[in-house]
Structures are given as structure tokens and as C-alpha cells.
Amino acid sequence: MKSVTLKIFGMTCKHCVRHVTTALEEVDGVTEVTVSLETNSATLVYDEDKVSMEDLAEAVQEAGYSVEE
């Protein structure tokens, strides 16, 4: 398992946080997600054998937000 923090752009409210959280939780291989509006970031734990950084960024982008890895 690996831990990473992604910088998320475009979140403006608690609804945005929930939307990003749900998008990341739905990625197969992600086991823990914490999204912060205050720091505009998502910290997560994932199985690097099942999911790549590109998969994580794509999930966030599909939810309508931008990611800086």
C-alpha cells in the first residue's frame, strides 16, 4: 500500500469535497480517502499494483476537478 497527497483545484464547497471523495473511493484499489477543502488536497492510501497515479488523476478529472500531482 502506498500513501499520496494530491493537490485538487476547483473545489469550492463541502459538496465538492464529497464529490471528489466519492470519485476516488470508487477507484478499485483505493482503501482510504481524506479530502480537505481547507488545503485543497486529497490524501489517500491505495494498492499500487491495482491503481496508478494516472488512474487517480483521471477519476478526479472525470468528477470535474483538476489535479496537480
Side-chain angles (χ1 to χ4, degrees):
M1 297 301 239
K2 186 173 181 176
S3 177
V4 68
T5 299
L6 304 174
K7 186 76 173 169
I8 310 291
F9 296 96
M11 295 190 303
T12 59
C13 64
K14 290 181 182 181
H15 175 73
C16 297
V17 169
R18 186 69 200 138
H19 200 192
V20 171
T21 301
T22 300
L24 289 169
E25 288 175 339
E26 290 177 350
V27 176
D28 184 37
V30 174
T31 59
E32 187 178 324
V33 178
T34 304
V35 179
S36 170
L37 182 61
E38 291 78 22
T39 61
N40 291 309
S41 65
T43 301
L44 48 132
V45 177
Y46 67 98
D47 182 343
E48 58 192 321
D49 292 330
K50 291 184 177 181
V51 63
S52 68
M53 289 296 294
E54 291 79 20
D55 296 329
L56 299 173
E58 183 177 317
V60 173
Q61 291 167 350
E62 286 180 1
Y65 305 90
S66 302
V67 176
E68 177 184 299
E69 297 178 29

